[in-house]
Amino acid sequence: MSEKVKLTRSKGFFDTFERRPGPIKKNMSYCPGCGHGVLHKLIAEAISDFGIKDRTVFISPVGCSVFAYYYFDCFGVQVPHGRSASVATGLIRANPESIVIGYQGDGDLAAIGFNNFIQAANRGENYCVFFVNNVIYGMTGGQMAPTSLIGQKTTTSPYGRSELNEGYPLRVCEMVAGLEAPVYVERVALSTTKNIIKARQAVRKALQNSIDKKGFSLVELLSGCPVNLKFDAGQMNDFIDNEMSSYFPLGVFKDESAKRAPKIRPEPIFDAEKVREAMYAPKIGEGVAADYRCTSEIFERELRIKIAGFGGQGVLSLGLIIAAMGKQRNFNVSWLPSYGPEMRGGTANCALIVNRNTIGSPIVDSNCDLLIILNKPSLEKYLPELSPNGVLLYDSSTIENMPKVADGQSVFELKASDIAEEFGNLKCANTVILGALTAILKEKFLNKVDSADIDGLVADALTECFRGKTKIVNLNMETYKIGQNQMTEQIKADK
Ligand SMILES: Cc1ncc(C[n+]2csc(CCOP(=O)(O)OP(=O)(O)O)c2C)c(N)n1
Ligand code: SF4
Ligand SMILES: [Mg+2]
């Protein structure tokens, strides 16, 4: 069958490029001899011939083709550098009937966006990618790309790319063809007419796969950037057909289009009940009625809590237990953890808000009502955040000297780590502190009804947080009780 490249403007383009600012509305912005213009034409022609204009979304990248949405008469999204594959995934998952086109340069796809791209390929997302490999960063003036050839001089490899310094050029098609999910992977060239006709077929095949929902297709197009590679038209084609094609061989690397069944993903269903079931522990006991309200005065307003210490001290889980307590008594709660890259040994803190009304922001960085501190560096860092009437509770096993606080603020301390160690499990220091906290609440802040409720509430919260693991719940209940008793004695002795 003979193929012809049409010489007229394709109907896949707008008649005039009204989105393009300035007086030029008929021409594209590409340099003469640039591969982008040729490929645009092949894609536009296919979109028009397949009659898919009204359901095609063209994703413009960052690179010389950033303004592709000026030209294509279909839907368009311009994405941040390298993020094409994530946006394509969102688009196609949200609307599986759409035809999504990812269009990416070698910098966009093989450098900044490579992880996004390869993960989408590996998931077999139902869209096609046209990868313009011109072995250079065209838009920014000719820096080395991951595909730049060995010996190639660029503005960032002025002595020529060396495999010892910069490694070998990435062969993207070969990598993608090694994955299970992609259905079709081919490399073509935008050089001679013969090659462009082959490229045209590849573009159509990839789009047909998208129409048939066959999964992920990749067409890599060796392309010219005569401006940055400093070639005239003839030299550019020679370079593509000889230098580029010998490192990046043309051909089909994978084609399972004929044998693949359409890839239909189940529709995403959001069922709040099912999510709750999967994410949260089963409800403990009967709980309280939906209109139950704790009646102590402190609950009249928002309570802002911060817990801080080293990673591994149970800082975050103590926060979760307190959050679970709030949840079980019909408060709105937020729990915002923050920790260093290494969980164990690094610093960790969490901000908690307990509020009967809507929580505006989960951040606690000032006016903290309750500060629970488990190590010295955290004390120095967070004490300034305590509100004028705030309560500080700290682990005096790790902090030797009683910190100075302002009039109106109160301080409580307990050797929580020593108590937990003596008990035989240092990990329980956080529930010793929880016991101390409930003692302070009972003695200083809660009315009789809320006080009487608290031990049962802690048991329920522990059961929720430890997913009903009875042994761990019981162990923590024991240390909780020890902490509570010791703090109650201390408070009574101070009276
Ligand atoms: C986050 C971010 N980093 C860097 C840039 C600068 N930048 C713009 S285009 C580009 C490279 C484009 O090269 P390529 O993807 O090969 O496209 P070409 O212009 O060659 O078609 C870079 C690094 C940017 N715009 N955004
Ligand atoms: S700089 Fe290169 S890639 Fe960019 S438009 Fe010009 S020829 Fe094309
Ligand atoms: Mg490029």
Side-chain angles (χ1 to χ4, degrees):
M1 187 177 73
S2 74
E3 295 270 353
K4 269 192 185 160
V5 176
K6 293 175 197 162
L7 295 173
T8 53
R9 170 166 294 178
S10 158
K11 290 200 167 46
F13 289 132
F14 293 115
D15 287 338
T16 51
F17 304 139
E18 296 303 329
R19 289 177 181 168
R20 194 175 174 187
I24 302 172
K25 303 288 184 195
K26 286 269 180 194
N27 297 338
M28 288 182 180
S29 40
Y30 302 113
C31 311
C34 176
H36 283 303
V38 181
L39 177 58
H40 276 28
K41 179 166 178 165
L42 301 182
I43 297 172
E45 197 189 81
I47 291 174
S48 161
D49 289 353
F50 290 167
I52 52 172
K53 244 186 198 187
D54 294 341
R55 58 186 180 116
T56 296
V57 191
F58 188 103
I59 305 177
S60 313
V62 166
C64 277
S65 42
V66 62
F67 297 126
Y69 59 86
Y70 287 171
Y71 312 123
F72 288 91
D73 186 5
C74 62
F75 296 99
V77 184
Q78 201 286 316
V79 293
H81 208 8
R83 298 300 172 259
S84 182
S86 314
V87 174
T89 302
L91 289 167
I92 198 69
R93 295 274 181 121
N95 183 3
E97 294 309 313
S98 57
I99 307 295
V100 176
I101 297 176
Y103 186 105
Q104 299 192 256
D106 37 44
D108 193 68
L109 181 150
I112 192 168
F114 193 69
N115 184 39
N116 264 226
F117 163 79
I118 203 84
Q119 302 296 348
N122 194 44
R123 290 192 303 269
E125 296 298 339
N126 246 334
Y127 81 110
C128 57
V129 175
F130 300 118
F131 167 40
V132 180
N133 179 3
N134 56 11
V135 295
I136 201 116
Y137 287 7
M139 185 193 209
T140 41
Q143 293 81 2
M144 196 192 81
T147 52
S148 295
L149 298 173
I150 297 293
Q152 188 182 326
K153 288 186 179 163
T154 70
T155 57
T156 47
S157 59
Y159 303 122
R161 180 180 187 152
S162 146
E163 68 275 26
L164 293 178
N165 281 330
E166 292 90 16
Y168 291 92
L170 275 189
R171 290 190 178 108
V172 172
C173 277
E174 286 81 340
M175 292 172 86
V176 174
L179 302 173
E180 286 297 322
V183 59
Y184 167 55
V185 181
E186 180 166 2
R187 184 183 289 123
V188 292
L190 297 171
S191 52
T192 57
T193 309
K194 193 172 148 225
N195 277 341
I196 292 174
I197 287 171
K198 272 209 142 171
R200 179 177 185 266
Q201 289 165 341
V203 165
R204 284 166 178 255
K205 178 153 196 151
L207 275 170
Q208 189 61 53
N209 280 343
S210 291
I211 293 167
D212 298 339
K213 301 190 171 77
K214 292 276 173 90
F216 186 89
S217 296
L218 169 68
V219 179
E220 176 175 338
L221 303 108
L222 301 185
S223 180
C225 174
V227 170
N228 283 302
L229 296 170
K230 301 184 176 55
F231 290 132
D232 65 24
Q235 289 167 331
M236 189 68 252
N237 276 1
D238 282 350
F239 185 74
I240 295 175
D241 287 341
N242 298 311
E243 311 292 321
M244 282 166 76
S245 300
S246 65
Y247 187 85
F248 298 112
L250 306 185
V252 176
F253 293 86
K254 182 171 187 180
D255 185 6
E256 297 182 358
S257 317
K259 64 177 189 203
R260 287 268 178 108
K263 193 167 195 155
I264 313 289
R265 291 194 150 89
E267 272 198 34
I269 303 166
F270 180 74
D271 179 333
E273 251 334 290
K274 282 202 169 137
V275 172
R276 208 165 290 133
E277 231 171 70
M279 304 257 312
Y280 302 108
K283 213 171 164 201
I284 310 302
E286 283 307 300
V288 290
D291 60 354
Y292 181 91
R293 294 288 175 266
C294 295
T295 47
S296 305
E297 210 185 312
I298 53 159
F299 300 126
E300 303 278 302
R301 60 183 186 84
E302 179 170 277
L303 293 176
R304 300 161 60 79
I305 304 168
K306 182 163 257 174
I307 310 172
F310 286 129
Q313 281 185 305
V315 168
L316 305 187
S317 43
L318 177 56
L320 279 174
I321 296 164
I322 297 172
M325 288 167 68
K327 238 173 32 177
Q328 298 217 12
R329 289 299 172 266
N330 297 334
F331 288 98
N332 292 319
V333 291
S334 66
W335 171 80
L336 189 68
S338 165
Y339 44 84
E342 66 304 299
M343 278 282 274
R344 212 157 284 279
T347 55
N349 75 73
C350 62
L352 271 164
I353 297 203
V354 180
N355 192 339
R356 190 164 284 158
N357 301 310
T358 308
I359 295 173
S361 157
I363 294 168
V364 177
D365 56 4
S366 61
N367 276 328
C368 181
D369 298 299
L370 170 65
L371 198 53
I372 300 178
I373 297 290
L374 303 185
N375 71 352
K376 197 157 179 268
S378 303
L379 181 70
E380 283 156 14
K381 190 164 177 196
Y382 296 115
L383 191 55
E385 294 180 6
L386 191 61
S387 79
N389 299 313
V391 173
L392 167 68
L393 167 62
Y394 70 95
D395 181 353
S396 46
S397 317
T398 55
I399 300 164
E400 276 174 21
N401 301 323
M402 168 83 93
K404 274 207 172 93
V405 295
D407 290 348
Q409 294 177 329
S410 2
V411 189
F412 298 87
E413 52 82 22
L414 191 66
K415 291 194 175 305
S417 299
D418 291 351
I419 293 170
E421 204 165 13
E422 211 173 288
F423 176 78
N425 196 334
L426 188 55
K427 276 189 180 168
C428 295
N430 62 350
T431 39
V432 175
I433 282 284
L434 180 66
L437 172 63
T438 58
I440 297 164
L441 288 171
K442 279 177 158 197
E443 296 300 321
K444 304 274 182 189
F445 297 100
L446 298 185
N447 62 24
K448 272 194 174 158
V449 180
D450 292 340
S451 275
D453 180 41
I454 209 153
D455 290 347
L457 176 55
V458 167
D460 284 353
L462 286 172
T463 310
E464 179 182 325
C465 291
F466 293 111
R467 303 221 152 213
K469 287 178 188 145
T470 321
K471 244 180 153 178
I472 301 179
V473 173
N474 290 344
L475 188 75
N476 280 285
M477 272 314 276
E478 271 188 67
T479 44
Y480 158 75
K481 269 287 169 198
I482 297 172
Q484 191 183 61
N485 291 340
Q486 293 216 8
M487 182 54 80
T488 308
E489 276 169 29
Q490 261 174 238
I491 294 172
K492 287 193 170 151
D494 284 350
K495 270 184 185 166

